[in-house]
Amino acid sequence: MFTTRPELAGTFGMVASTHWLASAAGMATLEAGGNAFDAAVAAGLTLQVVEPHLNGPGGEVPILFARSPRAASGAGEPVVLSGQGTAPAGATIEAYNHLGLDLVPGTGLLAATVPGAMGAWLTLLRDHGTLPLDAVLRFAIEYAEHGHPLLPRVAATVASVSAHFRSHWPTSAATWLAADGAVPTAGRLFRNPVLASTYRRLLDAARGPSREAQIDAALTAWYQGFVAEAIDEFSRSAVMDDSGRAHSGFLTGADLAGWRPTYEPPVTLDWRGWTLAKAGPWSQGPALLQALAMLDGVPAAGPGAGYASGTADANLVHVSAEAVKLAMADREAWYGDTAEAPVDDLLLPDYTAQRRALIGDRASTELRPGSPGGRPPRLPRFVTETSGRERPSGRALAGVGEPTVDTRGTTRGDTVHVDVVDRWGNIVSATPSGGWLQSSPTIPSLGFALGTRAQMFWLEPGLPNSLAPGKRPRTTLTPSLALRGGVPTMAFGTPGGDQQEQWQLCFWLAHTLGGLDLQAAIDAPAWHTTSFPSSFYPREMTPGELVVESRLGEDVIAELRRRGHQVSVSDAWSLGRMSAVSIDPETGVLRAGANPRGMQGYAVGR
């Protein structure tokens, strides 16, 4: 864990992310005089290049941030910038039904939403950064043009879908395979010159009398210019998806032209002297708040409990897993991009007490949504009819937040993460995702793939997360921002699909209950449950399953099994890819920590 004080000469800030090159890009931006927003954009754009199996320019990003308490306006107020794109105008439930589909495929063009990541990064830079676009985009251009050491997981992902690329997605084969069809080698420099050219064309378009006008011109080029035109043309092609048939997409240039990212207030929870801020119910963010609210009245999660030995005990793991099951059941029944989502009622003390009372001594295997405000819950028919369907044998669990990918590109996990805090107290948490190289064919003139987030919609009318044009899918992406005494203090998050809130809960409990510092809390043994429907195609669940790192210990694991959990023991260092940064509101001391799992997360600062 890195620690420094802003009053020391040469102090700039802290950056923590899921890849060392992104953290280095962010730190270099701080050292060049940029603020936390500049650094976050530089790191985020770099992540598009160096972790292309987990995010890309065709994906999305929710960003949670707060300006310095000393800022002239908006001081210390947490804000959400939603870079989650919406469903195309032609993407109706009837259109998918006409194709004979009961779920949106997890790969191909039918699952594309408007690519929101670039719009959000450019908007953050324009409104809150200080540097011009070329100063933050130069790292991504350099690594795409001149190469970066290819991660083993990228090479393995390409290998897993190489036959599919050769047979069905020739544009992806041209980008990711050698001329003889060979898979790229881990550790060797990999170049994506077409993507570098796309970034350079964006810079060429960024003309104007001011920094802000130049960034606006880049936004126009992306959403109304050459990028939108290329996406519109490519989406008309029929490509194979994991329905087993070839389909063209619904996304058009008009969909891109009509979309821009939005600023929104976060959902918050006051918890034992902290205020935790999350994105709204179009994300799964409120689920962490619900789980924490339930745990606030449980003795096993009381002050001083749970970490007597420095590692979570069986009582704490049990009650946290049960609270998560209840929160995720509510997610399935109530969350979505709709004004009717009853997020305030879901966090009311009376409702929380009703949910807390359902936490018993034995592990539950049921999906039990509640009735906030007396409303009867409604689960998707697909869930009620298949709620006991387990993961097919032989399909591996997602580990370290990386995607589990089958031979057709179906992906069950996702995502990267970056946190930044600067010497002035500006703080950013962002979880970019989508546009995975393995899940949609590469657009040949742009060098990147579209996202597949629409797979999280339901094709059943009348649900909070039912598909509708212009609507955001209820995403798994969920950065976090914590305040202490009303002052923004800590930013954190992790990749991991449906596990994101759960691994953040492990971190939060270790830090706040266990008293562990940022790095020790990240290092602490993690766990998660899969006893609720997956957000990813084909939407399976495993009732009663609890996945734990072996470092929890044999005694804890045995006690969890005695309580009825179907415990799957994962490798000692396999769950989560947390990162975090913080600033002490009293002393100004800056800290950061990054994940050792997978040996590529990196925290840096001075």
Side-chain angles (χ1 to χ4, degrees):
M1 182 179 76
F2 289 88
T3 304
T4 190
R5 298 205 313 273
E7 69 270 17
L8 298 178
T11 294
F12 297 96
M14 294 281 175
V15 183
S17 83
T18 50
H19 195 291
W20 69 92
L21 290 177
S23 297
M27 193 65 228
T29 302
L30 290 175
E31 292 174 333
N35 63 18
F37 307 108
D38 299 308
V41 175
L45 296 175
T46 301
L47 286 168
Q48 293 179 353
V49 178
V50 299
E51 292 198 89
H53 62 316
L54 299 175
N55 83 127
E60 50 274 332
V61 58
I63 303 171
L64 194 49
F65 69 91
R67 295 177 62 84
S68 166
R70 293 173 283 175
S73 62
E77 290 294 324
V79 178
V80 175
L81 177 57
S82 172
Q84 174 57 63
T86 54
T92 64
I93 291 176
E94 294 75 19
Y96 286 91
N97 289 341
H98 181 72
L99 296 173
L101 298 171
D102 60 356
L103 289 176
V104 177
T107 66
L109 298 176
L110 283 178
T113 57
V114 174
M118 189 62 75
W121 288 128
L122 293 179
T123 299
L124 187 72
L125 180 68
R126 180 195 65 196
D127 296 347
H128 303 286
T130 61
L131 299 180
L133 180 57
D134 61 347
V136 298
L137 189 52
R138 65 186 182 91
F139 307 97
I141 292 175
E142 180 177 344
Y143 291 128
E145 196 166 69
H146 301 292
H148 56 93
L150 196 69
L151 293 172
R153 292 303 297 258
V154 179
T157 298
V158 174
S160 71
V161 291
S162 58
H164 186 72
F165 283 3
R166 297 185 195 102
S167 299
H168 300 293
W169 294 355
T171 59
S172 294
T175 301
W176 296 102
L177 304 179
D180 63 357
V183 173
T185 302
R188 293 191 179 178
L189 290 181
F190 184 86
R191 299 171 178 83
N192 188 340
V194 179
L195 178 58
S197 175
T198 296
Y199 288 144
R200 287 197 178 279
R201 289 183 68 184
L202 196 65
L203 283 183
D204 290 341
R207 307 292 183 185
S210 66
R211 188 187 72 91
E212 291 78 11
Q214 292 163 10
I215 297 171
D216 277 334
L219 278 164
T220 299
W222 195 270
Y223 289 98
Q224 296 171 255
F226 76 96
V227 173
E229 292 168 0
I231 289 173
D232 184 289
E233 180 181 1
F234 190 71
S235 292
R236 301 173 191 267
S237 308
V239 304
M240 185 64 70
D241 58 45
D242 55 13
S243 72
R245 291 174 285 151
H247 296 103
S248 57
F250 293 115
L251 189 62
T252 69
D255 293 313
L256 273 77
W259 182 88
R260 288 296 184 272
T262 55
Y263 289 106
E264 304 172 5
V267 179
T268 61
L269 174 74
D270 293 329
W271 199 83
R272 302 182 185 179
W274 294 86
T275 299
L276 187 57
K278 302 289 289 186
W282 56 268
S283 76
Q284 64 176 345
L288 178 58
L289 306 184
Q290 282 193 256
L292 281 172
M294 285 181 245
L295 291 177
D296 199 27
V298 176
Y307 284 91
S309 63
T311 299
D313 62 26
N315 289 330
L316 182 60
V317 176
H318 169 75
V319 296
S320 67
E322 296 304 295
V324 164
K325 292 175 187 177
L326 294 167
M328 291 302 190
D330 279 345
R331 184 192 77 170
E332 293 306 306
W334 299 110
Y335 289 21
D337 185 20
T338 170
E340 285 73 45
V343 65
D344 291 338
D345 288 348
L346 290 168
L347 291 169
L348 286 175
D350 287 349
Y351 179 75
T352 298
Q354 295 171 21
R355 304 297 277 158
R356 185 186 301 122
L358 297 177
I359 299 176
D361 293 332
R362 300 284 297 174
S364 172
T365 60
E366 301 176 21
L367 193 65
R368 299 178 289 174
S371 300
R375 307 170 184 85
R378 178 183 165 192
L379 291 169
R381 284 195 305 269
F382 189 88
V383 170
T384 58
E385 294 169 1
T386 64
S387 60
R389 187 167 66 189
E390 298 189 10
R391 179 183 297 107
S393 61
R395 178 172 283 185
L397 291 169
V400 298
E402 299 279 11
T404 299
V405 183
D406 72 11
T407 56
R408 296 175 299 178
T410 303
T411 301
R412 298 175 55 84
D414 66 329
T415 314
V416 296
H417 188 79
V418 59
D419 299 302
V420 185
V421 63
D422 65 26
R423 55 184 163 173
W424 300 288
N426 298 305
I427 191 165
V428 185
S429 181
T431 309
S433 186
W436 306 316
L437 72 88
Q438 68 275 12
S439 294
S440 192
T442 300
I443 302 171
S445 62
L446 298 177
F448 64 82
L450 291 171
T452 54
R453 193 63 57 174
Q455 67 181 290
M456 296 184 176
F457 282 119
W458 293 110
L459 298 181
E460 177 185 342
L463 300 169
N465 191 35
S466 295
L467 172 67
K471 186 176 180 178
R472 292 173 291 188
R474 194 276 302 147
T475 182
T476 54
L477 307 178
T478 178
S480 296
L481 191 68
L483 295 81
R484 191 81 163 166
V487 179
T489 300
M490 182 166 59
F492 60 95
T494 180
D498 291 300
Q499 283 71 57
Q500 288 181 38
E501 297 296 10
Q502 303 190 65
W503 293 337
Q504 291 184 67
L505 179 61
C506 296
F507 164 82
W508 181 265
L509 294 175
H511 184 59
T512 60
L513 292 187
L516 304 183
D517 64 35
L518 295 186
Q519 189 60 57
I522 290 170
D523 294 350
W527 61 89
H528 68 263
T529 178
T530 60
S531 193
F532 56 87
S534 169
S535 298
F536 298 90
Y537 181 92
R539 313 300 287 265
E540 299 146 349
M541 64 179 286
T542 307
E545 183 178 56
L546 182 65
V547 185
V548 304
E549 287 185 323
S550 61
R551 292 181 294 128
L552 274 178
E554 293 180 1
D555 291 345
V556 171
I557 292 170
E559 174 60 17
L560 291 168
R561 284 178 171 147
R562 189 192 68 79
R563 296 188 184 200
H565 294 280
Q566 303 300 310
V567 180
S568 295
V569 181
S570 188
D571 291 342
W573 296 87
S574 60
L575 302 181
R577 291 178 68 207
M578 288 289 311
S579 64
V581 299
S582 70
I583 180 169
D584 189 308
E586 295 181 357
T587 66
V589 171
L590 304 174
R591 296 181 173 89
N595 181 54
R597 301 163 178 86
M599 296 186 293
Q600 70 178 60
Y602 197 71
V604 61
R606 76 177 180 93

